[in-house]
Amino acid sequence: MFDKFNLGLLDLLTLILPGGLLIGLAWKTGLFSEWQFFDHPNLPEWVIGAAFAAAAYVMGHFVYLISSYLDDLVFAKIKEIWWPKNTLFTQANGIRTQKIKEVSTKDFNNFKYALGYLLQHSGALYFVVERLMAESKFFRSFCVVLFLAAGSAFYLGNWQEGIVELVFMGFSMVRYLSQRAKSIEVAYQYLILLHEDELEKYLPLAEDASPSKKSKLKDFFTKLQKSLHHLINSKS
């Protein structure tokens, strides 16, 4: 029962909602104006609803596929600046290395190992991480839908609507990046928690420095400048 509910929630957030939004956008722009299936007077409402859900599910897979490229194009670059390797990464990497020494991180990185270990040893903890991943994937797909919506609005001459959609795309991008980073952080935390009795066997905890508020603010603007510069150079 729990697994079925979990699967339904993931499908809803990562596939059906983005796919449905994309179909709504296509309908609004007139791409389906001559296709009367969704408002056919002779079809029962449950048939129309089922057809829409199926179409949204299929379209959601295409949106998901396109948005997955954001992980390498955007998140991987931002992560190096905003979320560098820290104590959690060091501990998780030590655990993974000791458990499966012969497998490189390119084939099986720390995050995938953490997910597999949580799935095998604690389904409840895995569900928490998976929920964060589902949220990040939804906003990742939502960025693609909003980008297409903004392009459509600009093409039709609705500049104000296009600007609003670009602003919401920016908010969605921030949410996607933060939830993606949080899912990795929480997965590492839970992996370490399940190995708390044997941490010394893997790696000692690194010292956790606590910078002042002033240094944090300075570090924030430095990271922001580096992020913008990195993204601009990657596009040129």
Side-chain angles (χ1 to χ4, degrees):
M1 182 70 179
F2 178 82
D3 293 336
K4 291 180 180 179
F5 172 77
N6 186 20
L7 180 62
L9 177 63
L10 292 177
D11 287 340
L12 178 65
L13 286 177
T14 61
L15 297 175
I16 298 178
L17 279 180
L21 290 172
L22 186 61
I23 292 177
L25 172 64
W27 190 277
K28 178 184 176 182
T29 55
L31 293 179
F32 296 154
S33 59
E34 298 181 358
W35 194 36
Q36 303 297 324
F37 181 83
F38 289 134
D39 56 356
H40 198 284
N42 297 326
L43 289 177
E45 293 184 357
W46 70 268
V47 174
I48 298 176
F52 179 82
Y57 185 75
V58 173
M59 292 300 298
H61 279 85
F62 290 102
V63 177
Y64 184 91
L65 176 63
I66 297 173
S67 66
S68 64
Y69 289 99
L70 292 176
D71 287 345
D72 294 328
L73 296 176
V74 179
F75 179 75
K77 296 179 174 61
I78 298 297
K79 178 176 177 292
E80 296 176 359
I81 300 173
W82 287 91
W83 300 285
K85 297 177 181 179
N86 53 14
T87 303
L88 290 175
F89 174 85
T90 303
Q91 289 285 359
N93 185 64
I95 295 171
R96 187 203 65 82
T97 303
Q98 291 293 330
K99 293 287 186 177
I100 45 175
K101 298 180 181 180
E102 66 278 3
V103 181
S104 66
T105 55
K106 292 182 179 180
D107 299 323
F108 196 43
N109 59 35
N110 297 331
F111 183 55
K112 291 180 180 178
Y113 174 78
L115 291 179
Y117 193 90
L118 292 177
L119 182 61
Q120 183 179 11
H121 294 86
S122 178
L125 296 181
Y126 176 81
F127 175 69
V128 175
V129 178
E130 195 171 39
R131 186 178 61 183
L132 294 173
M133 292 171 56
E135 292 178 7
S136 70
K137 290 175 181 178
F138 165 73
F139 284 103
R140 186 183 68 183
S141 297
F142 198 37
C143 287
V144 175
V145 175
L146 287 173
F147 178 79
L148 295 175
S152 174
F154 289 141
Y155 178 77
L156 297 175
N158 301 325
W159 294 94
Q160 185 176 3
E161 178 183 339
I163 292 174
V164 171
E165 287 166 343
L166 286 180
V167 171
F168 277 102
M169 188 188 76
F171 289 144
S172 298
M173 180 67 71
V174 172
R175 186 63 175 171
Y176 148 61
L177 294 173
S178 61
Q179 290 300 96
R180 173 73 172 171
K182 187 176 181 180
S183 65
I184 296 175
E185 179 181 347
V186 172
Y188 289 169
Q189 290 174 347
Y190 288 161
L191 178 66
I192 295 171
L193 178 65
L194 295 177
H195 291 83
E196 61 178 343
D197 296 332
E198 48 182 347
L199 281 180
E200 294 183 357
K201 185 173 68 174
Y202 302 116
L203 278 177
L205 285 172
E207 295 182 359
D208 188 11
S210 300
S212 62
K213 291 184 179 179
K214 185 176 180 180
S215 62
K216 286 182 178 180
L217 184 61
K218 182 180 179 181
D219 187 51
F220 171 80
F221 286 108
T222 301
K223 289 179 177 179
L224 181 61
Q225 183 181 11
K226 288 182 178 179
S227 300
L228 295 175
H229 181 70
H230 199 63
L231 288 176
I232 292 173
N233 288 340
S234 63
K235 292 180 180 180
S236 61

